[in-house]
Structures are given as C-alpha cells and as structure tokens.
Amino acid sequence: DRDRIVDMVYRGYAEKYDSWIYAEDPMHDPNLPQYDYNPDKANKILEKTGYIDIDGDGIREDPATGEDLAFELLSPDDVDMVKMATLVSEALPEIGISIDIKVVDWDTFYDIVYYPEDDSYEIAVSSESPAPSPYADWIWLEAKGWGASGDGTEWNSSYWNNPRFNELIDLLGTATSMEERRAYEYEMQELMAEELPYASLVRPQSIDAYRTDKFEGWENEIGGPIGWMNPWSILNLHLK
C-alpha cells in the first residue's frame, strides 16, 4: 500500500513512482503498467495459481513444496527503510503471506544483497537515487546481468539477467541522438516493469533550506536546489 507508505513514513512528502526515470524526465515512458494496491486481485491471482491456505492458519502454502509462504524481509538500519518494511510486513498477511523483518547495519546489508552465496536473502527494501538522463546511465547497471549466469556481485543485487536488457545498455552507450536514447530507454523501462526485478515503491521529496535574502538564481531540479546529482545547477547562483 504505497499511499500508506507516503502518509506514514514520509508524512505526505513523497509520491508513488514506476521507473528509475522520473516522470518529469523526457525519457520517462508514460505508458508503463501500473501496480496499484489491490489485495482482492492479489488473492485471486494466488488462488488461481495454486497458492492456498491448506491448514487454515492464515498463511498460504506453496503447491510445489507444501511450505508456508513465509519470507524474510531484509532492511538496513535506516529509520525510513525500517518503517517501510514494517508497513509491508503488516500488509502482506492480508493475502496470506508471512513476513519476518531482519534489520542489519548498512555494511552487513550490502554484504548480504551483493554476495548472497555467503548469506542468502529473499526480499530486501532499500533506497536508490536515480538522476536525469543522460547524466546517470550508471543506474541501469543495477539491473544488468553479469556473465552467463547473471552474476549480481557487481551492482545487480536482484540477480536479474535479461539478455535483451543487457544488449540495450550497450546500445544506449552508442546512441548518437536523444531520439535514439529514448527508444532504448523506453524498452528498458518496459522490460523492468514487466519482469519486476525491482519493485518501485515511493519517491521521497527533497526538503532543503537555502537563502533567498542574499542569493538568487537557484535552480530547483531533481534532488533539490543543491545535490550530488545536479551540482551544475548552482552555476547561475549569485548575490542579489
């Protein structure tokens, strides 16, 4: 329930989003499939695919293994991330899924999600900071499969490995026009929205304090008037 996350975690200072490219960016695909909060639909899908609560304890069983749909949700020890994980854990029992939250420090979190051969994880909640195209092509590496097995020990903590997506990342680096880039990035967004290696939840708003009594020329862009994603925005800043 992303509306509840916006209200309770960020006190309204956030919005739902559907892609690593934000809606105001011209490279954002406005026709991506949307996954709104609908527990009734989720229950019907689970029923149809054979995930049924056989023993009546409120948790569905996997038809292949007979085991409960019970998962561990990994979260870094960040206040907002823990709050978000808590809301997720409260919502999933509505569709017969049990969630146990495991909170760890950031170093341990990265060790687990990037090297799961040492300490596997099932689901994790984290934060990401996309930036406007074409200045942040690095973001796509977090979904690129590395090697034949899709090894995720680089940046891809989901271990997703889609050959077409990998090809599109390489093509993006050779694009010679913004129109060509847009075609590639639209398809990349569509692939991610269909296969969901990551689920986009909410986008917090940036709240910054800056002086307007002595300075003018502020450019309020993605990340706020001054941020690591857009340091060039202060080039127009000057004394009044």
Side-chain angles (χ1 to χ4, degrees):
D1 189 346
R2 293 184 292 166
D3 289 322
R4 191 166 181 238
I5 291 174
V6 168
D7 292 340
M8 298 189 69
V9 177
Y10 297 101
R11 299 185 180 184
Y13 292 99
E15 59 187 21
K16 296 181 289 186
Y17 77 120
D18 57 10
S19 169
W20 283 344
I21 300 180
Y22 292 152
E24 61 268 39
D25 192 311
M27 296 298 167
H28 176 265
D29 183 350
N31 299 311
L32 294 173
Q34 301 300 307
Y35 299 97
D36 294 321
Y37 180 61
N38 191 334
D40 290 337
K41 183 176 181 179
N43 276 313
K44 290 177 181 178
I45 292 173
L46 289 167
E47 292 283 344
K48 184 177 180 180
T49 51
Y51 294 92
I52 301 172
D53 178 16
I54 298 173
D55 56 15
D57 65 351
I59 305 301
R60 299 176 184 275
E61 279 77 41
D62 186 321
T65 66
E67 296 181 359
D68 285 348
L69 292 186
F71 304 98
E72 184 176 83
L73 177 59
L74 185 68
S75 172
D77 59 352
D78 173 276
V79 173
D80 290 343
M81 296 298 100
V82 173
K83 289 180 179 179
M84 191 180 302
T86 300
L87 293 180
V88 171
S89 71
E90 291 176 354
L92 284 178
E94 295 182 37
I95 60 172
I97 296 175
S98 175
I99 290 290
D100 181 35
I101 301 174
K102 179 180 180 180
V103 180
V104 297
D105 63 86
W106 275 105
D107 286 343
T108 302
F109 179 83
Y110 286 131
D111 282 342
I112 293 174
V113 298
Y114 287 112
Y115 300 96
E117 64 270 23
D118 297 327
D119 190 358
S120 62
Y121 79 100
E122 295 170 323
I123 311 173
V125 59
S126 187
S127 60
E128 192 48 80
S129 299
S133 177
Y135 305 105
D137 288 348
W138 57 266
I139 188 66
W140 301 114
L141 298 180
E142 297 205 3
K144 183 177 183 180
W146 298 84
S149 63
D151 184 2
T153 56
E154 296 289 335
W155 285 4
N156 181 6
S157 59
S158 74
Y159 275 53
W160 185 50
N161 188 25
N162 182 295
R164 176 57 180 167
F165 185 88
N166 299 341
E167 179 185 14
L168 287 165
I169 291 181
D170 295 334
L171 290 171
L172 189 64
T174 65
T176 57
S177 69
M178 296 302 282
E179 290 73 19
E180 187 180 1
R181 287 183 59 88
R182 184 179 293 109
Y184 296 147
E185 295 200 73
Y186 266 40
E187 187 175 352
M188 293 163 77
Q189 292 172 81
E190 290 163 3
L191 287 171
M192 290 192 68
E194 290 169 2
E195 299 193 12
L196 292 175
Y198 299 93
S200 298
L201 296 178
V202 300
R203 170 190 177 187
Q205 295 178 6
S206 175
I207 302 175
D208 298 281
Y210 53 99
R211 299 189 65 163
T212 57
D213 58 336
K214 293 185 177 181
F215 299 93
E216 60 184 0
W218 295 102
E219 298 287 346
N220 192 16
E221 303 179 6
I222 293 177
I226 298 179
W228 73 272
M229 292 185 289
N230 56 321
W232 55 86
S233 68
I234 64 173
L235 293 177
N236 292 326
L237 188 65
H238 57 85
L239 289 169
K240 284 186 174 181

